[in-house]
Structure formats: structure tokens, C-alpha cells
Amino acid sequence: MTLLKSILLGASTCLALATLSGTTSALAEADGHTANAGPAFTLDMKRGEVLQVIVSQQRTDGREAARSYGQAAFPLAQRHGYARIGQLNVRQTVRSDFAPQAVSFFSWPSQAALDDFSAEPDWPAIKATRPEAWSGLDIYSAELHEDLTIAADPNKHYTVLIAWLKSDEAVADYERYLTGIEPAVERSGGRFLYKMRMPVREAYAADATAPHQLTFVEWETTDGFEKVQQTPEYAEHQQYFGSSMEKFEFYWMKTP
């Protein structure tokens, strides 16, 4: 049994579900949005824009600090074109160094806009207050090389696998694994939505090494990946997961 298989099959009995009651995303409240702002969202971005994915764990006593942070940060960022797209709630943490409650999506009009925002003189002091609101916060950013549209469906389920590979050369093996199992994923009610390759990462961790890829998949049911694991394609290609992977995080998500 592979490491990933044993983790996934044991998750339902060994891991608790993370709930989102009252939790806010990184800048949502300053824009008048809460975690329950809507049942779904549509991500519709163009080539050259920057997608930002924020994986967050709010402190139990951090709600007010998160609101204050958002009220200071969002208007400043918005002047540079920053926009909130939506979020997915983390309903199950399968493998991670922390227990995030939400995966939120934001956009910048360009890398230049993000760089201009980062150079704002007021930003360092605002940014320094993040630990008062979140006990865990990973921010992944990548410029889009092609247009991207994703419609989050409240009747579907979502996974993200964040992969740190053994080397840059291991990227080929990881892509061979993903490409090889894709027919089985589709037969099992899943589809690949987006692969964020080589993102920039901001994190609290002392070792804030960026992952090689975030892979988002939409599923019809929560047992879709278990079905994939029973297929010939998985048996043939699982070796490439093992040969490429240094470490990974894996989350099941749902619309609020």
C-alpha cells in the first residue's frame, strides 16, 4: 500500500473534520464578505493576471484581529486592483503541518500591480499583524500563462494536493503520474481544474520553501479518489508519485 493510499483510506477514521463556522478569509470582511457570503463562486481570469491562493487557519481568538487586518489591508490592495474571488471550506485535512479552515482565491491584474502594492510604505506594518489573526497562513501566487475559468459548484467536492518534489528533475515523473491517472480520474467522477506550477510562497514556517505545484481537482463524490486507486492506470503510474514526491499537503474542500 502506498503512502498516499494509506493516508487517504485511513483519513475518515483517523482525522477530524475542520469546520468553518464564523471563519473569515484573509481580506474578506473589509470588503463586506464573510465566510458564508455565497454558495459558490466563479473564477474568471485572463492570461497575465496573478492568481493568489491563501490557505488559512484563523486563531480561536483572532476574529477581531482578522477584521482589523482586512480593514487596513484590503483598501490598500484594492487600489492596485486586488479582488476577492471566493473560497472553499476545508472539510477534511488529510495531510498537513497545520489545520487550515479555508482555501481562498484572490486576483491581481498583473505581477507589476502586486509588486507596486508590496512597495507601499504602509504595507510592512499591516503585514506584521497577521500572526494576531492567523495561527497558520500560506499564500501562493502565480502569474497565469493562459486564461482560466473555474465555476465552484455547491454540489461538487474539491481536493488540492500541494506538492514539494525531490528535485526540479522530478517534475517530469510527477506529471507522468498525473497524466497517467487522468483517464481513471474522469471515469471516477473527477476532473483536473488547475495546476498552479512553481508558485511564490509566503508562510509563517521557518522553512518557507515554495512547492512545485498545487493541483486542484473537482469530484462528483467523496470516494472518487478511492475508485481511482482501484484502477489499472493507478497501479501502473503510482510509482511515479513515490519517485517524485518529497512531501505534500492534501485537503478535501467544499463550497461554504
Side-chain angles (χ1 to χ4, degrees), residues 20-25 28 33-39 63 84 87 89 255-256:
L20 245 292
S21 176
T23 300
T24 59
S25 60
H33 295 86
T34 68
N36 297 313
R63 186 178 182 88
R84 180 179 187 263
Q87 78 175 44
N89 293 354
T255 60

Side-chain angles (χ1 to χ4, degrees), residues 68-80:
S68 297
Y69 170 87
Q71 289 172 345
F74 195 90
L76 183 63
Q78 194 173 36
R79 289 202 291 272
H80 295 275

Side-chain angles (χ1 to χ4, degrees), residues 85-132:
I85 299 169
Q87 78 175 44
L88 294 170
N89 293 354
V90 177
R91 69 167 186 82
Q92 187 175 13
T93 297
V94 179
R95 183 183 179 96
S96 178
D97 292 334
F98 69 114
Q101 300 148 325
V103 176
S104 307
F105 300 85
F106 298 83
S107 67
W108 294 92
S110 65
Q111 184 61 49
L114 174 54
D115 292 342
D116 288 345
F117 165 74
S118 299
E120 285 278 3
D122 292 339
W123 173 233
I126 298 171
K127 182 179 178 179
T129 67
R130 284 173 173 172
E132 299 172 15

Side-chain angles (χ1 to χ4, degrees), residues 201-213:
R201 180 191 183 200
E202 291 182 64
Y204 289 169
D207 176 15
T209 303
H212 286 79
Q213 187 166 302

